[in-house]
């Protein structure tokens, strides 16, 4: 709308060129361009760009508006303006429609660009399947194996992202897993021929699960099971190399496979569901004195602390889905002024009536300010802050609000029983919990809270949904010290489960997305 007029004898002939950035990269690559529309300053472009959308990634886009003769090597005279935006901002805006001012020519108003996002229909399909296995390798010294399956979808760059884990079936080499449901987009991102890799593991209590073997398939191949059983050989590459007579490590059979369409995460976001983001940071003494370089809270002039990195990584993705950009932020495990009482949910901005900070930068500012005013102490209690957010989530349960709590901690939890109780209660509410472990500690207790393999329970009650995702930050640190890459990797894994957790809440409550106004 209202583009600059650069032509002498007529109006401009504009084209829009879309550039994308790779995850964790600062390099822009041309993705595509619209048609050229002659002689207008208010063009409506018809050509669409089809992009893969990942909630868990910050997908930066750049739109350059230029005359039709545009080449990537621009002279200033060839340029009508540009806009930078994250894909999540477009999807998170009202009705998937975002207007941005064009910039780039000093001292001139360049007009605006209007972006509209809609979801392709093959992303709505949801699959229910059931698998069993036969004659798997025995891994346990006493008794048989405790097998479970891990599904991975392949990415464009050849890497794999985990998309589903089955439950563990105890003490058998011939397990039959429960039927499970997974969206097609999570399994293969809507590409029916993309590789789906499935690993078979023997579960161990300490988390060091033994690898039994693997096999690969695709959505298209799996879907053939609608008319016939499909049997896959489970192969262990190391055994195959070592043993000449090695045949396989067992077989997995696909017993059933069915497809139906249902509402997607984007349907709810476009219908007005807001994600409310809350942060809780560990201020216990085990983190070390913040002024010392050995402390996990230490921020050098050149580098953010692990706490600040984790906060930025997750917050910068989620903030695109929160219209007011106000984030409640708490600390726990410190002695708080003026009376030095131990608190497990003190507001980082020191305002008990309004603990919200403006944007992720506001949260970071308040966090650094708190480090200077409180005394790190203990113990490490999660339950108070989980109950605090659960209280807010319980006030609005109609699907218009969904809460995400990020807890960043250095380790061993002191109130395990109370935390389990809090998680079981919270699992019936519109909320998810992300726990990021920083530092070198062992995090077995966190794995238990994650509930991927064994659902969290308290006093005989089981969690209604799996709402906790735990990751150790050290697994994502880039060896070359590239903090942007570390943050992108972390966000990708900790946020990957949020869309499905939101959908599972809506489904169990039979909440339909609100209709977006046309």
């Amino acid at each position: 709308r209202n583009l600059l007029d650069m032509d002498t004898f007529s109006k401009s002939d504009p084209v829009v060129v879309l550039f994308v950035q790779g995850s964790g990269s600062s390099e822009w690559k041309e993705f595509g361009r619209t048609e050229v529309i002659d002689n207008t300053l208010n063009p409506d472009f018809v050509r669409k760009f089809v992009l893969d959308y990942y909630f868990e990634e910050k997908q930066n886009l750049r739109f350059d508006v230029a005359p039709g003769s545009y080449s990537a090597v621009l002279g200033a005279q060839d340029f009508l303006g540009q806009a930078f935006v994250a894909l999540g901002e477009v999807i998170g805006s009202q009705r998937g429609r975002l207007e941005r001012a064009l910039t780039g020519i000093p001292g001139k108003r360049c007009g605006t660009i209007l972006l509209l996002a809609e979801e392709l229909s093959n992303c709505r399909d949801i699959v229910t399947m059931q698998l069993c296995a036969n004659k798997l390798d025995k891994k346990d010294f006493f008794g048989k194996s405790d097998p479970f399956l891990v599904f991975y979808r392949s990415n464009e760059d050849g890497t794999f992202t985990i998309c589903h884990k089955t439950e563990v079936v105890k003490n058998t080499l011939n397990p039959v897993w429960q039927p499970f449901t997974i969206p097609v987009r999570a399994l293969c991102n809507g590409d029916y021929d993309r590789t789906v890799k499935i690993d078979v593991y023997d579960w161990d209590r300490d988390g060091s699960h033994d690898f039994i073997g693997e096999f690969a398939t695709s959505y298209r191949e799996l879907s053939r099971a609608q008319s016939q059983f499909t049997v896959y050989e489970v192969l262990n590459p190391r055994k195959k190399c070592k043993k000449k007579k090695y045949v396989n490590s067992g077989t997995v059979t696909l017993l059933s496979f069915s497809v139906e369409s249902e509402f997607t995460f984007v349907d709810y976001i476009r219908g007005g569901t807001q994600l409310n983001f809350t942060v809780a940071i560990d201020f216990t003494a085990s983190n070390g004195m913040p002024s010392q370089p050995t402390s996990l809270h230490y921020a050098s002039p050149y580098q953010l602390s692990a706490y600040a990195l984790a906060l930025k990584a997750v917050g910068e993705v989620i903030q695109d889905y929160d219209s007011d950009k106000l984030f409640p932020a708490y600390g726990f495990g410190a002695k708080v002024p003026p009376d030095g009482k131990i608190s497990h949910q003190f507001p980082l901005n020191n305002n008990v009536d309004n603990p919200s900070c403006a944007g992720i930068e506001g949260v970071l500012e308040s966090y650094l300010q708190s480090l200077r005013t409180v005394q790190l102490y203990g113990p490490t209690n999660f339950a108070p802050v989980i109950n605090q957010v659960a209280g807010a989530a319980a006030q609005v349960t109609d699907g218009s609000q969904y809460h995400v709590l990020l807890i960043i901690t250095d380790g061993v939890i002191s109130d395990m029983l109370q935390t389990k109780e809090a998680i079981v209660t919270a699992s019936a509410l519109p909320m998810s919990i992300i726990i990021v472990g920083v530092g070198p500690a062992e995090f077995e207790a966190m794995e238990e809270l994650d509930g991927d393999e064994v659902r969290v329970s308290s006093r005989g009650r089981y969690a209604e949904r799996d709402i906790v995702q735990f990751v150790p930050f050290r697994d994502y640190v880039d060896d070359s010290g590239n903090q942007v890459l570390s943050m992108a990797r972390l966000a990708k894994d900790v946020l990957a489960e949020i869309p499905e957790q939101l959908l599972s809440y809506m489904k169990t409550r039979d909440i339909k997305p609100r209709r977006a106004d046309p």
Side-chain angles (χ1 to χ4, degrees):
R1 294 289 174 266
N2 306 316
L3 296 177
L4 282 171
D5 193 357
M6 293 300 213
D7 288 4
T8 313
F9 301 110
S10 64
K11 297 188 173 72
S12 296
D13 306 329
V15 63
V16 175
V17 185
L18 169 60
F19 293 85
V20 297
Q21 257 181 350
S23 183
S25 160
S26 56
E27 186 189 344
W28 290 103
K29 289 183 178 167
E30 182 175 331
F31 182 85
R33 46 181 72 196
T34 64
E35 73 277 18
V36 178
I37 298 185
D38 291 342
N39 197 25
T40 178
L41 303 181
N42 294 288
D44 283 324
F45 297 100
V46 175
R47 187 171 299 158
K48 296 181 171 73
F49 299 115
V50 179
L51 292 157
D52 286 345
Y53 162 64
Y54 301 101
F55 165 75
E56 64 270 20
E57 289 183 23
K58 186 89 174 162
Q59 293 175 269
N60 292 321
L61 310 176
R62 184 183 107 205
F63 296 89
D64 285 7
V65 185
S69 56
Y70 171 84
S71 121
V73 185
L74 275 181
Q77 73 280 2
D78 292 334
F79 188 59
L80 299 176
Q82 64 184 178
F84 295 87
V85 63
L87 181 56
E89 285 180 87
V90 188
I91 288 168
S93 56
Q94 210 173 4
R95 304 196 305 277
R97 173 192 165 105
L98 181 71
E99 191 163 1
R100 258 297 145 86
L102 293 165
T103 60
I105 302 177
K108 290 198 176 176
R109 283 188 176 173
C110 302
T112 62
I113 186 168
L114 188 63
L115 306 166
L116 294 119
E118 62 181 33
E119 191 170 22
L120 295 181
S121 60
N122 73 345
C123 296
R124 296 171 180 275
D125 289 348
I126 190 156
V127 166
T128 302
M129 63 175 115
Q130 183 175 22
L131 300 104
C132 70
N134 252 36
K135 298 181 181 172
L136 294 176
D137 284 355
K138 180 174 175 297
K139 289 288 183 182
D140 291 349
F141 196 67
F142 301 107
K144 299 174 175 128
S145 296
D146 305 320
F148 67 97
L149 302 176
V150 183
F151 286 68
Y152 302 87
R153 72 155 182 263
S154 59
N155 302 315
E156 299 289 341
D157 59 2
T159 59
F160 286 90
T161 299
I162 186 167
C163 59
H164 182 74
K165 278 183 194 171
T166 66
E167 80 281 10
V168 178
V169 182
K170 290 290 183 77
N171 198 29
T172 178
L173 303 179
N174 303 297
V176 179
W177 289 281
Q178 293 291 321
F180 68 90
T181 300
I182 184 169
V184 171
R185 67 182 177 281
L187 192 64
C188 64
N189 213 41
D191 176 353
Y192 293 171
D193 296 304
R194 192 177 288 202
T195 301
V196 176
K197 185 165 83 81
I198 301 164
D199 287 354
V200 188
Y201 282 97
D202 167 38
W203 180 81
D204 280 334
R205 185 176 297 281
D206 64 3
S208 62
H209 312 308
D210 299 317
F211 178 68
I212 294 174
E214 64 186 8
F215 60 96
T217 181
S218 66
Y219 173 87
R220 198 179 296 283
E221 198 175 298
L222 288 165
S223 66
R224 292 190 188 120
Q226 289 175 90
S227 54
Q228 66 195 57
F229 283 166
T230 310
V231 181
Y232 296 97
E233 279 197 295
V234 177
L235 299 176
N236 185 323
R238 292 180 71 176
K239 275 192 168 183
K240 200 175 178 183
C241 291
K242 283 182 182 174
K243 296 181 179 178
K244 280 186 179 173
K245 290 184 178 176
Y246 176 78
V247 179
N248 59 39
S249 294
T251 60
V252 168
T253 303
L254 182 58
L255 295 174
S256 64
F257 185 95
S258 59
V259 189
E260 61 186 52
S261 286
E262 68 169 31
F263 296 120
T264 66
F265 175 72
V266 174
D267 288 332
Y268 288 97
I269 297 298
R270 287 193 66 167
T273 297
Q274 289 286 306
L275 296 190
N276 298 321
F277 182 47
T278 304
V279 182
I281 294 177
D282 184 333
F283 280 80
T284 55
S286 52
N287 285 285
M289 282 291 288
S291 56
Q292 299 298 317
T294 51
S295 170
L296 295 168
H297 282 300
Y298 178 74
S300 78
Y302 315 105
Q303 212 166 5
L304 292 169
S305 70
Y307 277 90
L309 274 178
L311 170 60
K312 242 172 115 65
V314 177
E316 285 186 350
V317 174
I318 284 194
Q319 68 179 353
D320 290 340
Y321 303 88
D322 187 326
S323 59
D324 66 8
K325 308 278 187 283
L326 294 173
F327 307 121
Y330 299 94
F332 58 89
K335 286 186 170 178
V336 182
D339 51 10
K341 275 189 179 160
I342 297 166
S343 172
H344 292 291
Q345 54 191 93
F346 61 89
L348 295 186
N349 65 2
N350 211 16
N351 183 342
V352 178
D353 298 324
N354 181 12
S356 295
C357 304
I360 296 306
E361 291 308 317
V363 178
L364 277 167
E365 218 171 280
S366 298
Y367 155 63
L368 294 171
Q369 183 60 37
S370 287
L371 281 176
R372 292 191 280 272
T373 55
V374 305
Q375 182 192 343
L376 304 197
Y377 207 70
T380 306
N381 290 358
F382 286 2
V385 79
I386 293 174
N387 289 330
Q388 171 99 11
V389 175
Q395 289 172 16
V396 184
T397 57
D398 63 359
S400 62
Q401 309 280 329
Y402 193 87
H403 293 257
V404 178
L405 168 62
L406 170 66
I407 299 174
I408 314 175
T409 180
D410 78 328
V412 185
I413 180 170
S414 313
D415 65 340
M416 190 65 169
L417 292 176
Q418 293 89 331
T419 294
K420 281 182 168 181
E421 179 73 14
I423 288 170
V424 170
T425 302
S427 70
L429 296 168
M431 70 179 278
S432 291
I433 300 166
I434 295 166
I435 304 172
V436 177
V438 296
E442 291 305 318
F443 292 110
E444 282 108 333
M446 304 301 164
E447 296 281 7
E448 191 180 336
L449 296 179
D450 191 307
D452 272 344
E453 283 136 27
V454 180
R455 189 63 62 89
V456 176
S457 64
S458 171
R459 297 189 297 181
R461 285 194 309 146
Y462 279 85
E464 204 177 288
R465 304 178 295 125
D466 173 16
I467 63 165
V468 181
Q469 169 77 336
F470 165 74
V471 296
F473 185 61
R474 57 174 176 252
D475 289 0
Y476 301 90
V477 175
D478 179 61
D479 295 337
S480 65
N482 180 339
Q483 290 197 330
V484 176
L485 196 58
S486 300
M487 285 161 60
R489 285 174 178 168
L490 175 74
K492 191 169 179 174
D493 260 24
V494 295
L495 292 172
E497 291 185 14
I498 298 288
E500 299 319 318
Q501 290 175 356
L502 179 144
L503 288 173
S504 75
Y505 174 78
M506 302 298 186
K507 197 172 179 181
T508 55
R509 298 295 180 280
D510 197 27
I511 297 170
K512 309 268 189 294
R514 295 177 184 183
R515 296 285 302 168
D517 298 330

